[in-house]
Amino acid sequence: NNASLMVPLGIGYIKTHAVHHLADQVDIKLFKSPEKLLSAAAAQEPDVIGFTNYGWNQHLNLTIGKYLRSQFPDALIVAGGPNIDPDPTLRLNFLNLHDYLDFTIVDSGEEPFTNLLIWWRDYKGNTSQLPQNILWKENGKLRQTTDLKQLKQIDNIPSPYLSGHLDEFLDDGMVPLLETNRGCPFKCTFCAWGMASKDVVRRFPLETSLGEIEYIGRKSKARHWIIADANFGILKRDVDIAQSIRAVKDQYGTPQTCDIWLAKNTTDRNLQIAAILGDMAIPVMAIQSMSPIVLEKIKRDNIRSTTYIEYQKKFHDQGNKTYSDLIVPLPGETLESHIDGLKQMFEFGVDIIVSHSM
């Protein structure tokens, strides 16, 4: 059922950046379906194969990657994504397990992947010319290039939606994902968001985000959208983005619902966004744990309980339901402290409480 699948936004960015800089020197095909990938590889031998690597798909990647390596021993095979631990020992363990890979890209992958294609064309075999953000194994040891500097304004990555590279997935009815900014200023130890972004919140141009919303509104009939920002509402312009989503809903009838994760430090701006989206969105005010011991261990600060209760009431007064989550088991959490946290969520009046297991 395609309506339950999400548009592969990440690889859309990868393709769009490469095509923008290399034009007709590359012919890149995107795949959500493993079967379609294998069928296309059998029909036309690939020069380069790329995998997005996440916790939920790495075993699938492992199986397909080893098979494709056996079929195409001379292909460049590379993976990228946030599921790469910064610890050197764990990175080497990953490369040992995923031994079908030539290289792994860490952090934002658009520019490194494009530069890796150029390296493959011009400098293949000369590791001294490899681009930034690259990991590989050589003689049993971990090797890596320097980190690419992250800029606050993302003006070097064209929109995969406005470029038309994700049309096939919109036409298939998949759930649109939108990324209006990247990164997170917080350093919660259980989360890769701040680590990958080096604690910098990076912005796509506002006109690009507004253009994507209008484009998707015209192209897609999906009932549900997802805004994949870590802290929606952290920027003043997020109010404009919420108004644009509401305008699309009013004009086209969709999306009927839209997932947003509000800025961790709840502000009046979040109330404004919730009022704009109305019943399209359920404001998410994440907690993770109510235990002071746990919060200290994971380097996270929750907002004060009195403030949390105050905003719960404000959301309810303007007609919004509310959502929060707890994560178990975090370091230092016990059955008793977790149950106490659930009880406090009930007392706060949270409408939807979800316990995520690590």
Side-chain angles (χ1 to χ4, degrees):
N1 182 5
N2 286 334
S4 64
L5 299 177
M6 289 174 283
V7 169
L9 178 62
I11 57 175
Y13 279 122
I14 297 292
K15 174 178 179 176
T16 305
H17 187 277
V19 170
H20 178 74
H21 289 276
L22 299 176
D24 57 3
Q25 297 178 58
V26 292
D27 178 18
I28 299 176
K29 295 180 173 63
L30 305 179
F31 298 95
K32 185 84 173 180
S33 162
E35 293 82 5
K36 290 182 179 179
L37 166 61
L38 295 174
S39 177
Q44 181 180 6
E45 181 175 349
D47 297 310
V48 180
I49 303 169
F51 292 94
T52 50
N53 184 70
Y54 295 91
W56 55 82
N57 76 341
Q58 64 172 329
H59 293 297
L60 178 62
N61 285 353
L62 185 63
T63 300
I64 294 179
K66 286 181 177 292
Y67 171 77
L68 290 175
R69 173 58 73 196
S70 71
Q71 299 299 302
F72 308 106
D74 297 326
L76 172 67
I77 304 184
V78 59
N83 198 49
I84 304 295
D85 197 283
D87 180 83
T89 299
L90 296 178
R91 287 184 167 183
L92 184 58
N93 290 344
F94 174 85
L95 293 174
N96 285 332
L97 177 63
H98 294 262
D99 57 0
Y100 58 91
L101 293 173
D102 293 297
F103 301 104
T104 294
I105 297 175
V106 296
D107 301 337
S108 294
E110 291 87 359
E111 185 175 338
F113 182 79
T114 297
N115 289 336
L116 189 62
L117 295 179
I118 296 171
W119 175 87
W120 184 248
R121 181 193 65 192
D122 298 339
Y123 303 104
K124 180 166 49 177
N126 184 357
T127 56
S128 67
Q129 297 296 320
L130 281 167
Q132 294 173 293
N133 287 27
I134 303 293
L135 303 177
W136 75 101
K137 189 177 69 171
E138 189 174 288
N139 298 323
K141 295 183 178 180
L142 177 68
R143 297 285 305 278
Q144 58 191 69
T145 58
T146 57
D147 292 340
L148 184 67
K149 184 179 180 181
Q150 306 276 19
L151 302 177
K152 284 192 174 182
Q153 183 73 13
I154 305 174
D155 53 13
N156 65 332
I157 305 175
S159 165
Y161 286 113
L162 301 180
S163 302
H165 296 314
L166 295 174
D167 281 358
E168 62 177 295
F169 305 102
L170 293 177
D171 293 343
D172 281 344
M174 293 185 187
V175 176
L177 286 172
L178 289 116
E179 191 176 35
T180 74
N181 68 64
R182 287 183 176 178
C184 179
F186 306 110
K187 299 180 180 181
C188 306
T189 54
F190 58 85
C191 179
W193 228 322
M195 176 187 69
S197 64
K198 305 296 187 289
D199 311 321
V200 175
V201 177
R202 307 172 63 212
R203 311 175 188 190
F204 286 97
L206 177 60
E207 58 270 22
T208 299
S209 296
L210 299 181
E212 288 180 332
I213 291 167
E214 170 62 22
Y215 184 89
I216 295 169
R218 286 187 285 106
K219 290 282 294 184
S220 172
K221 299 303 180 186
R223 296 160 57 90
H224 183 63
W225 291 13
I226 297 175
I227 307 300
D229 299 352
N231 298 280
F232 193 69
I234 198 171
L235 304 174
K236 290 182 179 179
R237 69 180 204 164
D238 292 344
V239 173
D240 298 324
I241 293 170
Q243 289 172 334
S244 180
I245 296 171
R246 167 53 70 179
V248 164
K249 162 70 182 302
D250 292 343
Q251 181 173 358
Y252 300 109
T254 55
Q256 295 184 5
T257 56
C258 183
D259 280 349
I260 58 171
W261 285 265
L262 293 176
K264 303 301 183 286
N265 294 329
T266 306
T267 64
D268 289 341
R269 191 180 303 134
N270 289 343
L271 291 168
Q272 186 179 0
I273 290 170
I276 292 168
L277 296 177
D279 60 2
M280 294 174 62
I282 298 177
V284 178
M285 294 195 295
I287 288 293
Q288 274 78 63
S289 176
M290 293 297 293
S291 166
I293 295 174
V294 174
L295 294 175
E296 181 179 359
K297 287 181 179 293
I298 65 175
K299 297 181 175 64
R300 177 183 173 88
D301 291 321
N302 288 334
I303 63 175
R304 290 182 302 174
S305 296
T306 52
T307 304
Y308 196 94
I309 294 170
E310 176 187 349
Y311 275 98
Q312 284 288 323
K313 185 178 184 306
K314 288 181 178 179
F315 281 124
H316 286 153
D317 287 346
Q318 64 184 28
N320 296 110
K321 290 185 177 180
T322 56
Y323 172 110
S324 191
D325 51 22
L326 300 170
I327 298 178
V328 289
L330 290 172
E333 195 79 79
T334 65
L335 176 61
E336 291 75 17
S337 64
H338 176 60
I339 291 175
D340 286 343
L342 287 171
K343 289 179 179 177
Q344 290 184 66
M345 293 290 97
F346 291 146
E347 293 170 357
F348 291 169
V350 180
D351 296 298
I352 301 171
I353 305 169
V354 176
S355 290
H356 299 291
S357 58
M358 294 287 282

